[in-house]
Amino acid sequence: MIFTRTLLRRHSVLPGFDLALGFALLYLSLIVLVPLSAAFLKTATLSWGQFLEATTTPRVLASYRLTFGASLLAAMLNAVFGLIVAWVLVRYDFPFKRLVDALVDLPFALPTAVAGIALTAIWAQNGWLGQWLPFKVSFTPLGVWVALVFIGLPFVVRTVQPVLEDVNQELEEAAATLGASRWQAFWHVILPVVSPALLTGFALAFARALGEYGSVIFIAGNMPMISEITPLIIISKLEQYDYAGATAVAVVMLVVSFALLLMINSLQAWARKRQGML
Amino acid sequence: MTAAAVTNVRAERRAAPKPARIPSGDRPAYSTGERRTATEEPAWVRWLLIALALGFMTLFLFVPLATVFVEALKKGWGVYLAAITDDDALSAIKLTLIATLISVPLNVVFGVAAAWAITKFDFRGKNLLLTLIDLPFSVSPVIAGLIYVLVFGLQGWFGEWLRDHDLKVIFAVPGIVLATIFVTFPFVARELIPLMQAQGIEQEEAARVLGANGWQMFRRVTLPNIQWALLYGVILCNARAMGEFGAVSVVSGHIRGQTNTMPLHIEIAYNEYQFAAAFAVASLLAGLALVTLGAKYIVEQRVHRDKREALTQGEPS
């Protein structure tokens, strides 16, 4: 600790640096870093061939397709409607607006298992909404998509909303003065300002959807090759005591998640820079 | 168009003096009878967008929320009360409370310590540390459970040692607590860091110069400054801790009356076709979610105010 003091820290009259940083690092290591490294070390005991075999069986490949495809489509729908919801909340007035605004965060607050059984009940063939549809939603890949739309909804709204609030109205006035229609002003003036936030929200919703488990497994039906998501593959491998196989699939997902995290961080840095310029 | 030129219905209803420029967060209402200015959309576009937004939210948020309560009470209050006072349900509620009461305070201590080191001092590797703190949010809950199985499970690093000493982590309460701590890890720290960054170190320095010891400085200066952000972090952390499903499901082993939390109890009841019982316990968690949203909404405003104050104080007058 004397080492860190002299090397890393500027002189300060405030106390507690060693204790605070020491505790934070210890806790971070014990709870997050050491257990996470266990996943990579466990995978390292597999040969490259074994790793490929565990992570590229047809059933696992089908689960990647479903997980990535449904996450992507859900994040896209969230991007479109998230922008509309954010726009309406920032610009217009309507009854119960504050209540609606507060309820946007419901998917953050509602436990995933609760959301899962509720969505399944609604979209089942005898459910409130499912009975009116000519096709099945619950227990199909479409059900997976519905659950992922639910859990991704707040991300886009909450990243776009503050940026939209800060859009400089003079820019819009200038556009109008120069003869732009409302649609042109939106397309050429407002959208470029909010697009970094929109992209960030999209990426956040996508990243969250990739790893989602609780809300999906109830509605998915979990049929191998058809409606089985990758997190469920990990669970079923674990239940068969195939720890190495489960971990190998987990490492594939971890690598994708970390890549997304890096991308989101640089997106946010870019968005901040853009906002600073305007 | 100036902002004041638009009739602000809400501002007029309030007797308060009209601000010269209406803050963008509180834009004026557009009354339909009025002539449209160049930066407004036509009325039909406005109503279409509002309808689309509300329709989407109704379909994906309000209907699922309502369903939980409707299904819970479908078979009457008797069944509802029986479902939530059932022995297994009560032990699940108890375990959820235990896991929450351990994990939230630990993450509070960590959050305060990490935020203190990061915002009040300069050191190398700060950005790396910030990224690492956020890491648990990008890990799938299932993987969060899996990594503890790899460390503490029977085939794991400490598996044999734990077995020889008759200790159980996986398929027992400690594993559930660990998994809960992992998934709620960043909440407090990430609420505190931006605020404490904005507040700077002058007030603490003044307290020190005036002779306060470290604890006095923290209790009298730092804590009052961060109390709302801290509470906000605790609210989010608590909601996630009580509702976590995936991570806890991997390490729990689903032993009824022993290692079932509320979300796991819901899963078992649902899979056994006891829908009313599943939705009854689910309605408790949905109620908690609504309380969380309400508390969050109130506390959020205080946190915003604190942040604004910290930022304006930092500017040279």
Side-chain angles (χ1 to χ4, degrees):
Chain A
M1 277 301 144
I2 293 165
F3 175 73
T4 47
R5 180 186 287 267
T6 48
L7 191 74
L8 302 174
R9 198 186 115 203
R10 277 205 320 237
H11 182 70
S12 164
V13 295
L14 297 184
F17 177 72
D18 292 347
L19 184 68
L21 188 66
F23 175 75
L25 288 179
L26 181 72
Y27 189 77
L28 176 74
S29 308
L30 287 181
I31 298 289
V32 180
L33 300 182
V34 172
L36 267 180
S37 70
F40 290 94
L41 291 173
K42 179 85 184 173
T43 312
T45 62
L46 295 174
S47 72
W48 184 242
Q50 285 170 315
F51 177 78
L52 277 184
E53 202 186 295
T55 54
T56 57
T57 62
R59 191 169 156 188
V60 177
L61 287 178
S63 84
Y64 295 150
R65 270 196 298 277
L66 173 67
T67 302
F68 279 85
S71 300
L72 198 64
L73 290 175
M76 280 159 72
L77 191 80
N78 276 326
V80 174
F81 279 92
L83 179 61
I84 295 177
V85 171
W87 177 272
V88 163
L89 286 176
V90 171
R91 300 253 165 155
Y92 304 149
D93 234 357
F94 52 90
F96 303 111
K97 177 169 145 174
R98 276 158 189 255
L99 186 68
V100 171
D101 192 4
L103 280 173
V104 167
D105 286 325
L106 184 71
F108 286 157
L110 194 70
T112 50
V114 177
I117 61 170
L119 290 170
T120 312
I122 297 164
W123 294 100
Q125 271 183 308
N126 56 356
W128 285 6
L129 295 169
Q131 60 180 311
W132 307 107
L133 296 175
F135 48 87
K136 272 176 76 170
V137 176
S138 284
F139 318 123
T140 71
L142 200 58
V144 175
W145 175 78
V146 167
L148 295 180
V149 170
F150 172 84
I151 55 125
L153 190 134
F155 289 99
V156 176
V157 181
R158 292 303 186 225
T159 43
V160 169
Q161 207 173 2
V163 180
L164 213 46
E165 273 168 5
D166 283 345
V167 169
N168 194 340
Q169 269 216 310
E170 274 120 44
L171 286 177
E172 285 176 59
E173 284 160 23
T177 316
L178 295 169
S181 70
R182 246 350 246 157
W183 174 250
Q184 284 171 323
F186 172 77
W187 193 250
H188 295 292
V189 177
I190 301 171
L191 197 61
V193 177
V194 299
S195 55
L198 190 61
L199 206 56
T200 307
F202 170 81
L204 285 170
F206 179 65
R208 171 72 205 265
L210 282 185
E212 179 57 21
Y213 175 72
S215 58
V216 175
I217 52 149
F218 293 98
I219 200 170
N222 307 325
M223 276 169 295
M225 303 298 296
I226 298 169
S227 60
E228 192 178 42
I229 54 168
T230 310
L232 188 69
I233 294 270
I234 297 174
I235 297 244
S236 48
K237 279 185 189 276
L238 264 183
E239 279 168 357
Q240 294 155 16
Y241 302 103
D242 180 9
Y243 289 95
T247 313
V249 176
V251 163
V252 171
M253 290 197 70
L254 279 175
V255 169
V256 174
S257 304
F258 293 163
L260 271 170
L261 180 70
L262 282 180
M263 204 186 85
I264 291 166
N265 278 352
S266 31
L267 261 176
Q268 276 170 331
W270 177 52
R272 266 197 300 276
K273 232 168 94 184
R274 282 283 296 268
Q275 251 195 309
M277 272 157 49
L278 289 162
Chain B
M1 183 203 78
T2 60
V6 181
T7 318
N8 186 338
V9 181
R10 271 187 299 173
E12 271 183 2
R13 275 200 207 127
R14 281 189 248 115
K18 227 189 248 182
R21 203 189 139 84
I22 295 155
S24 50
D26 192 28
R27 262 172 225 275
Y30 299 97
S31 59
T32 33
E34 209 178 331
R35 220 161 52 124
R36 184 165 72 90
T37 65
T39 54
E40 283 174 31
E41 294 77 40
W44 69 269
V45 174
R46 268 181 270 146
W47 290 117
L48 180 71
L49 289 175
I50 291 174
L52 275 175
L54 291 182
F56 178 71
M57 285 183 68
T58 306
L59 199 61
F60 283 97
L61 293 186
F62 306 149
V63 172
L65 182 64
T67 304
V68 175
F69 295 101
V70 171
E71 293 282 335
L73 294 169
K74 213 175 192 174
K75 294 192 176 152
W77 284 97
V79 175
Y80 181 83
L81 287 175
I84 58 174
T85 52
D86 165 81
D87 278 348
D88 290 342
L90 285 178
S91 78
I93 292 171
K94 198 174 127 200
L95 183 56
T96 293
L97 290 177
I98 291 173
T100 307
L101 284 175
I102 297 173
S103 57
V104 173
L106 279 174
N107 282 339
V108 165
V109 174
F110 164 75
V112 172
W116 180 259
I118 286 172
T119 61
K120 307 286 177 180
F121 301 92
D122 266 333
F123 56 94
R124 244 185 279 171
K126 199 190 260 192
N127 283 331
L128 179 66
L129 181 58
L130 277 169
T131 309
L132 291 178
I133 288 175
D134 266 350
L135 211 52
F137 277 168
S138 62
V139 172
S140 170
V142 169
I143 297 175
L146 168 75
I147 57 178
Y148 288 109
V149 174
L150 294 177
V151 175
F152 297 109
L154 203 53
Q155 296 186 15
W157 290 353
F158 301 113
E160 279 181 32
W161 187 87
L162 287 168
R163 192 191 55 199
D164 294 344
H165 291 77
D166 218 16
L167 295 169
K168 257 190 129 175
V169 175
I170 299 305
F171 303 147
V173 177
I176 291 173
V177 173
L178 279 172
T180 308
I181 292 176
F182 183 94
V183 294
T184 56
F185 186 87
F187 279 114
V188 178
R190 83 183 336 207
E191 289 311 321
L192 289 182
I193 289 168
L195 177 68
M196 286 169 72
Q197 197 100 59
Q199 283 169 343
I201 57 171
E202 286 86 2
Q203 293 189 25
E204 276 90 356
E205 276 179 344
R208 286 293 279 175
V209 170
L210 292 171
N213 66 32
W215 175 243
Q216 286 171 325
M217 171 209 67
F218 178 75
R219 235 198 45 176
R220 306 257 177 92
V221 178
T222 311
L223 206 54
N225 274 340
I226 63 169
Q227 56 184 349
W228 293 109
L230 191 60
L231 182 61
Y232 191 74
V234 167
I235 291 169
L236 298 182
C237 190
N238 176 68
R240 180 72 195 266
M242 294 187 78
E244 179 51 28
F245 176 73
V248 169
S249 154
V250 174
V251 295
S252 131
H254 301 88
I255 307 164
R256 246 183 250 219
Q258 284 179 40
T259 61
N260 261 355
T261 60
M262 286 166 82
L264 298 178
H265 181 82
I266 294 172
E267 185 198 17
I268 291 187
Y270 189 84
N271 286 341
E272 288 174 351
Y273 301 101
Q274 300 171 24
F275 295 133
F279 277 104
V281 178
S283 75
L284 296 180
L285 287 175
L288 173 80
L290 290 179
V291 171
T292 301
L293 288 183
K296 184 174 168 299
Y297 192 78
I298 296 166
V299 174
E300 206 163 36
Q301 327 237 330
R302 308 258 180 170
V303 176
H304 280 318
R305 197 195 54 195
D306 285 352
K307 225 177 265 177
R308 258 201 318 274
E309 273 171 15
L311 286 172
T312 46
Q313 271 168 11
E315 283 166 13
S317 49

